Amino acid sequence: MTFALASIHIYPLKSGAPLALKSSAVETRGLARDRRWMAVDADGKFLTGREQARLTLIRALPNADGSLHLDAPATSGIRVAVPDTHGRRIATAVWDNPVAPLLADETTNAWLSKFLGKPARLVYMDAECVRAVDAKYARAGDEVSFADGFPLLLISQAALDLLNSKLAVPVTMLRFRPNLVVAGSEPHAEDGWKRIRVGEVEFDVVKPCVRCVFTTVDFERGERDPSGEPLRTLIGYRRGEKGVTFGQNLIPRGRGVVRVGDSVSVIA
């Protein structure tokens, strides 16, 4: 079975605004520049759009030199330099997975704190900052960025189309924050895939993505949908033993480049 890669998305800042790409390098940790930056609170606890919906309004654009440009509504943008590898690291975690990223400069942290309305800091995952994938699903050496648990997330366009046919107000695919969107399959066909090839790169399809309240955040307004959609509707037909699932998590089994329009072949 062969389908097509319809779109590619990265989120340079975890829980920040999406960035659509025509192509992307695939690295061990996922797509290049995807979720390599993250916000933490004054105590070092990671922040996401689940509790800080305004994070979704921050547009993070990576520059060629590795720096980041941050912009948000009603603010002046700011350039964030990549922290020096000998700079300060802080102890934090993504869920229960410890990680020791580099801390951004104080000017950046003040900008972030002002926008979020609470003390916050920005941290960066460099090459020395290694975070392993859950051993239940991984091979030795598998790594992940600041993403919740796995290097990439894939969703079929047909899955969204089915959901929207059940909603009074349709939602965009980006509510679900995929990296890869596949066109031409049946709804949720990805639930039955074990291994795929996208262009020149192979991936293991390792685990359904369990969805949470973050799906109710309208990232264009930085607010939760008061109706609780689309999660409320998903509960009605996508709820299983481990929760509401929508999309599949991937682990790369090689490096290369994926491009919009690439063939997506199901190997197993």
Side-chain angles (χ1 to χ4, degrees), residues 6-237:
S7 60
I8 301 170
H9 308 274
I10 62 171
Y11 312 84
L13 169 65
K14 182 177 177 65
S15 286
L19 179 61
L21 302 176
K22 294 296 184 183
S23 65
S24 178
V26 179
E27 301 175 347
T28 303
R29 297 177 178 182
L31 297 184
R33 305 179 298 180
D34 184 43
R35 297 176 175 95
R36 302 304 198 269
W37 300 81
M38 181 173 71
V40 301
D41 68 12
D43 297 320
K45 181 182 178 182
F46 81 114
L47 297 174
T48 76
R50 296 167 182 82
E51 68 280 347
Q52 290 289 322
R54 280 173 62 79
L55 269 173
T56 64
L57 296 174
I58 300 177
R59 295 178 295 276
L61 298 176
N63 297 314
D65 64 358
S67 64
L68 196 68
H69 181 80
L70 296 180
D71 195 12
T75 68
S76 298
I78 186 172
R79 178 184 175 276
V80 183
V82 173
D84 186 276
T85 54
H86 301 293
R88 181 183 171 192
R89 293 186 185 272
I90 68 168
T92 182
V94 179
W95 302 114
D96 296 323
N97 199 322
V99 65
L102 290 161
L103 185 64
D105 62 88
E106 288 304 315
T107 300
T108 297
N109 296 332
W111 183 95
L112 183 62
S113 299
K114 182 178 179 181
F115 181 72
L116 293 180
K118 63 174 290 179
R121 295 176 289 175
L122 190 68
V123 296
Y124 174 70
M125 174 179 274
D126 66 336
E128 306 273 326
C129 179
V130 177
R131 180 175 168 234
V133 176
D134 187 335
K136 292 195 300 288
Y137 305 97
R139 298 179 186 174
D142 285 342
E143 297 179 17
V144 60
S145 64
F146 288 135
D148 276 357
F150 295 90
L152 291 94
L153 174 64
L154 175 147
I155 302 176
S156 63
Q157 179 61 46
L160 180 72
D161 294 343
L162 176 61
L163 169 62
N164 279 335
S165 73
K166 301 173 183 291
L167 294 174
V169 179
V171 297
T172 171
M173 177 66 85
L174 296 176
R175 283 282 190 102
F176 299 96
R177 306 181 76 78
N179 294 115
L180 307 179
V181 178
V182 176
S185 72
E186 293 297 313
H188 301 290
E190 62 270 30
D191 290 353
W193 301 346
K194 298 300 181 185
R195 191 176 180 95
I196 62 172
R197 181 183 298 110
V198 181
E200 61 191 51
V201 186
E202 291 189 9
F203 301 85
D204 282 342
V205 184
V206 293
K207 181 182 179 295
C209 184
V210 178
R211 312 316 301 220
C212 68
V213 71
F214 196 10
T215 60
T216 70
V217 174
D218 182 340
F219 65 90
E220 294 179 340
R221 295 187 297 115
E223 299 175 353
R224 286 190 190 177
D225 186 328
S227 72
E229 294 291 11
L231 188 58
R232 187 173 68 176
T233 293
L234 283 171
I235 288 171
Y237 74 103

